Amino acid sequence: MSFTRQLSEMSASELNDAIDDTNFPQAHILSRGRNNSVCSTSSTSGTSSLADRAQTQAQPEETADLPATPAEEVAPSTPATPATGNQRPRLILKMNGSSPDSDGTQPKTPMTPRTSTTPGHEKCTFHHDLELDHKPPTREALLPDMARSYRLLLGGLGENPDRQGLIKTPERAAKAMLFFTKGYDQSLEDVLNGAVFDEDHDEMVVVKDIEMFSMCEHHLVPFYGKVSIGYLPCNKILGLSKLARIVEIFSRRLQVQERLTKQIAVAVTQAVQPAGVAVVVEGVHMCMVMRGVQKINSKTVTSTMLGVFRDDPKTREEFLNLVNSK
């Protein structure tokens, strides 16, 4: 029994159970960070490889002509090519007797349906039954729905969305909100872009007064201020502009200042594994200025100290003195 024939004899549910996500394009998920994609494509996520399943079910004399890893045993008559690294056999499912064109370099969208019940895809919000394309919508694709929502909001306020000054306001507001929250489209790896350098330096590095603009997740109004970051390198340093870009990743989201401060510190730690990281954020919150208690001179200061900055008072004091100096 050939491998292709085994596939043709599987039911739709069996295909979904045994599907191998190797050929799926990596989805650019909105939160985020792209490292923790909800669409798991690795075999460790509980989804078994279709090639592995077929080899397990097949009798020795019916071994499929697939590339085998060094750990696999195949019949002498079966040609085997040693696999390199963690590369798994490339799977192309045939539809109507033909297979999609492929030069073997770029992953193609598999010609098999994915649904929300396919193992590894339970949390995908963009799947529909019998959907062939495994790509989430881009954020720009959300603009029409967002603009309609803003139009309804204007109507709910008693305004006329069709008057001259408001005709294009829903679209403008939708584009502005996407810009205010563009951090959802960015990941730490994308922003660093390899700007981590080996350097025999173990003294404190401080970049202070980095401008920050964010959106309060409780009232959807802005808060803004400045961020100061310090770290103690362990033979690796980070491009200085990357510290400011890390601030942009996490500030351009719906946020609270306390979480923003810690996310910046954790990101710097992940980037260069320093001996310690210190972050101080000073912000003015419009939810306290233009509404509520309306205290226009109030400022909120938050800090996160990791590693030696938390454990060594002298190191912490040195950082705070540098941040507060004019």
Side-chain angles (χ1 to χ4, degrees):
M1 182 186 299
S2 68
F3 183 61
T4 303
R5 185 179 179 186
Q6 290 179 40
L7 292 178
S8 65
E9 292 177 356
M10 286 186 180
S11 65
S13 61
E14 288 176 329
L15 272 175
N16 277 340
D17 290 339
I19 205 69
D20 180 6
D21 287 342
T22 303
N23 295 324
F24 268 104
Q26 291 294 325
H28 194 179
I29 304 304
L30 302 184
S31 158
R32 220 307 18 145
R34 315 300 147 270
N35 296 334
N36 298 321
S37 170
V38 296
C39 289
S40 174
T41 58
S42 67
S43 59
T44 59
S45 65
T47 304
S48 60
S49 167
L50 184 54
D52 294 341
R53 180 188 178 106
Q55 290 176 351
T56 301
Q57 293 177 348
Q59 297 299 323
E61 61 272 12
E62 296 174 343
T63 303
D65 293 336
L66 292 176
T69 62
E72 293 174 332
E73 293 183 1
V74 296
S77 60
T78 303
T81 302
T84 57
N86 294 324
Q87 182 178 3
R88 292 183 289 180
R90 183 174 179 83
L91 174 64
I92 299 177
L93 301 182
K94 296 184 178 181
M95 298 292 289
N96 299 326
S98 61
S99 60
D101 295 334
S102 174
D103 58 4
T105 58
Q106 296 296 328
K108 298 291 185 179
T109 300
M111 301 299 290
T112 52
R114 292 293 186 276
T115 71
S116 58
T117 60
T118 302
H121 298 265
E122 295 86 349
K123 296 183 180 180
C124 293
T125 59
F126 48 85
H127 277 306
H128 300 283
D129 288 348
L130 302 182
E131 180 179 82
L132 297 180
D133 190 10
H134 184 262
K135 293 181 180 179
T138 61
R139 301 195 77 215
E140 287 72 18
L142 303 176
L143 282 174
D145 287 340
M146 293 177 64
R148 282 192 290 270
S149 297
Y150 276 112
R151 182 178 176 86
L152 289 174
L153 178 62
L154 291 174
L157 293 174
E159 271 287 359
N160 176 16
D162 294 319
R163 70 177 175 89
Q164 184 180 19
L166 294 179
I167 290 179
K168 293 186 177 181
T169 295
E171 182 179 354
R172 294 190 194 102
K175 290 180 178 179
M177 183 58 71
L178 285 185
F179 181 82
F180 296 154
T181 59
K182 65 179 182 178
Y184 289 123
D185 272 342
Q186 298 175 317
S187 70
L188 182 60
E189 289 74 16
D190 294 338
V191 166
L192 293 182
N193 195 26
V196 177
F197 309 102
D198 294 328
E199 188 67 36
D200 185 18
H201 182 76
D202 58 1
E203 298 296 330
M204 191 180 302
V205 177
V206 176
V207 177
K208 66 178 188 177
D209 296 339
I210 303 170
E211 290 88 356
M212 172 273 297
F213 299 92
S214 191
M215 293 287 288
C216 169
E217 67 180 28
H218 300 145
H219 304 96
L220 296 186
V221 293
F223 68 93
Y224 63 93
K226 57 184 181 180
V227 180
S228 296
I229 304 173
Y231 72 97
L232 277 173
C234 286
N235 298 320
K236 286 184 181 294
I237 61 173
L238 185 62
L240 295 178
S241 68
K242 303 307 180 184
L243 293 172
R245 293 190 185 278
I246 288 175
V247 173
E248 281 288 292
I249 293 177
F250 297 105
S251 64
R252 294 294 186 176
R253 302 181 180 190
L254 302 183
Q255 277 287 13
V256 294
Q257 185 172 323
E258 296 87 342
R259 182 172 66 237
L260 170 62
T261 308
K262 188 167 186 178
Q263 286 178 332
I264 294 171
V266 170
V268 176
T269 302
Q270 292 175 342
V272 289
Q273 296 84 45
V277 177
V279 178
V280 173
V281 178
E282 181 180 291
V284 176
H285 293 249
M286 299 308 293
C287 57
M288 288 183 61
V289 173
M290 63 186 298
R291 60 161 297 282
V293 295
Q294 301 182 51
K295 301 302 180 184
I296 62 174
N297 293 317
S298 65
K299 294 181 180 180
T300 302
V301 180
T302 52
S303 69
T304 295
M305 304 288 169
L306 302 178
V308 294
F309 287 97
R310 171 173 291 203
D311 300 332
D312 184 2
K314 291 185 177 180
T315 303
R316 182 168 60 250
E317 182 181 3
E318 179 185 352
F319 168 73
L320 294 174
N321 287 338
L322 289 172
V323 167
N324 294 326
S325 64
K326 300 299 182 183

